[in-house]
Amino acid sequence: MPVTAARPVALAAALLFLLQIVLWWPGVAMFDTVGQYTQALSGAYDDWHPPIMARLWAALRPLGPGAAPMLLVQAAAYWLGLGLIAAALARAGRAWAGWAVIVLGALPLFVAWQSVVLKDAQMLGAMLTAVGIVARARFAGRALSLPALIAVVALLGYAALVRTNAVFAVVPLGVLLVPGRRRWGRRAGAIAGLTLAVLAVSPIINHRLLGAEPTTVGHTLPLFDLAGIAHFAGDDGVLRPDERAMIVEKHCYQPFFWDPIGSVSRCGAIADRFEAVPASTLDIAWAGAIVRHPIAYARHRLAHLNATTRWLVPTVWVSAAPPPASERNTVGLGSPSKAVWPIVAAAGWLVASPLGWPVAWIVVAASVVAIVIAGARTPVRDFALALAVSALALEASFAVVSIASDLRYHLWPMMAAALAAILLASEGGVPRRIARGCGLALALVIAAGLVARAVLPSPPPGYAAMLEWDGQAAAPARQPVPQG
């Protein structure tokens, strides 16, 4: 198809980028944003958040104050990636699929979150641009040029470093985008080996190369899991009886997030006691508790997985809708005008619908994998497979390493699953039997979620109120009485 077929979708992506910048200037800052900007201003970095974003922000400060330079970076990466994918599809004679990609990117749910200057949006933008560069070559039947390959590696490297658990999405995507025979055993081995390598080298990069001071961020997951084991088993063998009693009295265990354990007003005294404990010592105690109480640990992790994938939860499940304005701060981070409020309101409606349930996109991604494996190989199907497996791998990691249920953590899996579905649909030829089975699975998951939302009581609105909620609607369980 002539090159001109790609121009309308490419132009649409460019115009939507400009519109996003105009509407959301100078960007939205949340609590995490303020902390990272403060580091960029001071030049003192720590590893509570991956320092590469704060380092990039500091490098971009000559371009202007506040969040605006980072908004430009992540919005440009977002629309460049989507525009490249859409244009590649249009050139391949799949114009409707190209337009579907543009519409997907313009959904308020995604574009509003992509206007919040956070590591999640930075990760999404970097990965989309990398995917777009590969799609541009692959769909035209060409190999990547050396400059393009270097750009893809750099973008995926940034994505892997900008979110601690991004490695679980980046490595499968990179491995499966490499052309050649599938050879599942070798690919799985490459994914496992590279994932371990990235996990091993990341702290070295963060501390030695990027100069981040170590914090106790590594304590959050063990403490969350220990509280969960104590909740379901009555005793984890690590927390003291008075600490377990405090967790019960103040409702500090919630499958939704770890935050009450670290909150000064709730059970922060527990986190304070472990602050001086070496990470290796805590990790050994944590592993021992898991070995002694595997069922309690599994119940806790499954309860959290349900909470973060937003499946069997109440109608109101906080930390989903993007904020319309910035967190109050003293470092000069402003807010966009009220013109974005209707768009943010639309995003709030979408996140409450099945479109905003990560669990629904898990089913979509799994369906893509099942359909692709059952059919003939094509470049587009292989591309869809890479996106779907990347989405599933990151979602699977939340069963083990997640400590909170914010929807923004799922932006890449949701976007990747949707893109994979569009690519697969553009191929056609999906076996009816498999399609019906996948559709039925999605319908059942959505139906169960709707029933849960109809019968479970909603938590109180707001973060502060959520800290005090007992969480029983999302994870009904016997409340153990600590033995002292």
Side-chain angles (χ1 to χ4, degrees):
M1 204 167 183
V3 175
T4 54
R7 289 177 181 171
V9 290
L11 179 61
L15 291 176
L16 286 167
F17 161 67
L18 293 175
L19 181 61
Q20 179 182 353
I21 294 302
V22 169
L23 288 175
W24 265 276
W25 190 268
V28 179
M30 292 181 68
F31 180 83
D32 290 356
T33 320
V34 176
Q36 290 193 281
Y37 185 56
T38 300
Q39 292 185 23
L41 290 174
S42 67
Y45 304 92
D46 64 46
D47 67 354
W48 191 269
H49 300 289
I52 193 168
M53 178 176 166
R55 283 287 189 177
L56 175 61
W57 205 336
L60 295 177
R61 281 187 60 206
L63 299 181
M70 295 297 273
L71 172 67
L72 284 168
V73 166
Q74 65 191 46
Y78 179 76
W79 286 112
L80 176 60
L82 292 173
L84 288 171
I85 297 168
L89 287 168
R91 286 193 202 95
R94 307 163 194 243
W96 75 264
W99 283 110
V101 170
I102 297 299
V103 171
L104 173 67
L107 286 177
L109 185 161
F110 288 116
V111 76
W113 269 119
Q114 196 61 18
S115 301
V116 183
V117 177
L118 287 168
K119 53 194 174 185
D120 313 275
Q122 292 275 310
M123 170 190 167
L124 179 60
M127 293 188 73
L128 281 176
T129 300
V131 168
I133 293 171
V134 178
R136 184 174 184 271
R138 188 72 53 80
F139 295 173
R142 300 192 309 267
L144 279 178
S145 65
L146 181 60
L149 178 60
I150 293 173
V152 168
V153 171
L155 287 162
L156 292 181
Y158 178 74
L161 289 171
V162 81
R163 270 209 64 83
T164 302
N165 62 348
V167 60
F168 299 108
V170 170
V171 171
L173 178 69
V175 170
L176 292 178
L177 283 179
V178 175
R181 297 177 62 183
R182 283 178 180 165
R183 293 182 176 178
W184 297 115
R186 292 187 181 182
R187 299 253 179 175
I191 290 171
L194 286 172
T195 299
L196 292 174
V198 173
L199 290 173
V201 77
S202 292
I204 298 173
I205 294 174
N206 289 337
H207 298 142
R208 298 184 184 178
L209 183 61
L210 298 176
E213 291 295 322
T215 64
T216 57
V217 66
H219 287 22
T220 56
L221 179 60
L223 291 178
F224 182 47
D225 286 351
L226 288 171
I229 292 170
H231 175 80
F232 286 104
D235 183 6
D236 58 18
V238 179
L239 298 178
R240 298 191 311 237
D242 63 302
E243 291 170 335
R244 299 197 303 273
M246 181 191 304
I247 290 173
V248 173
E249 179 185 352
K250 295 189 175 183
H251 305 301
C252 289
Y253 172 68
Q254 296 187 33
F256 184 82
F257 57 178
W258 98 284
D259 295 37
I261 305 296
S263 171
V264 174
S265 64
R266 309 304 299 159
C267 295
I270 298 174
D272 290 344
R273 180 173 78 85
F274 282 93
E275 189 168 350
V277 176
S280 59
T281 302
L282 179 58
D283 289 346
I284 292 171
W286 170 38
I290 294 172
V291 171
R292 289 190 300 273
H293 303 287
I295 295 177
Y297 172 74
R299 292 179 69 188
H300 152 63
R301 292 311 313 182
L302 287 173
H304 175 67
L305 186 64
N306 173 65
T308 193
T309 58
R310 297 173 180 264
W311 186 20
L312 306 178
V313 297
T315 299
V316 177
W317 207 227
V318 298
S319 300
S326 293
E327 182 99 3
R328 290 184 179 180
N329 64 89
T330 59
V331 290
L333 294 171
S335 294
S337 71
K338 293 182 180 180
V340 305
W341 287 14
I343 304 174
V344 173
W349 181 85
L350 288 175
V351 301
S353 76
L355 287 175
W357 303 358
V359 68
W361 293 108
I362 291 173
V363 177
V364 171
S367 299
V368 169
V369 171
I371 293 169
V372 170
I373 290 177
R377 287 192 64 186
T378 69
V380 172
R381 282 173 173 258
D382 284 352
F383 215 91
L385 180 66
L387 289 167
V389 171
S390 174
L392 290 173
L394 184 55
E395 290 292 346
S397 75
F398 294 138
V400 181
V401 297
S402 173
I403 60 170
S405 301
D406 299 45
L407 183 65
R408 58 189 172 94
Y409 304 152
H410 302 268
L411 291 177
W412 167 252
M414 292 164 67
M415 175 65 74
L419 288 173
I422 292 172
L423 292 176
L424 185 60
S426 75
E427 285 282 275
V430 177
R432 291 185 180 180
R433 180 177 59 84
I434 299 179
R436 283 196 297 267
C438 294
L440 178 61
L442 181 60
L444 290 174
V445 166
I446 291 175
L450 291 174
V451 170
R453 285 160 173 76
V455 300
L456 294 176
S458 293
Y463 174 82
M466 190 69 177
L467 283 174
E468 302 180 11
W469 192 49
D470 62 14
Q472 294 303 298
R478 173 184 63 84
Q479 184 65 65
V481 178
Q483 303 298 314

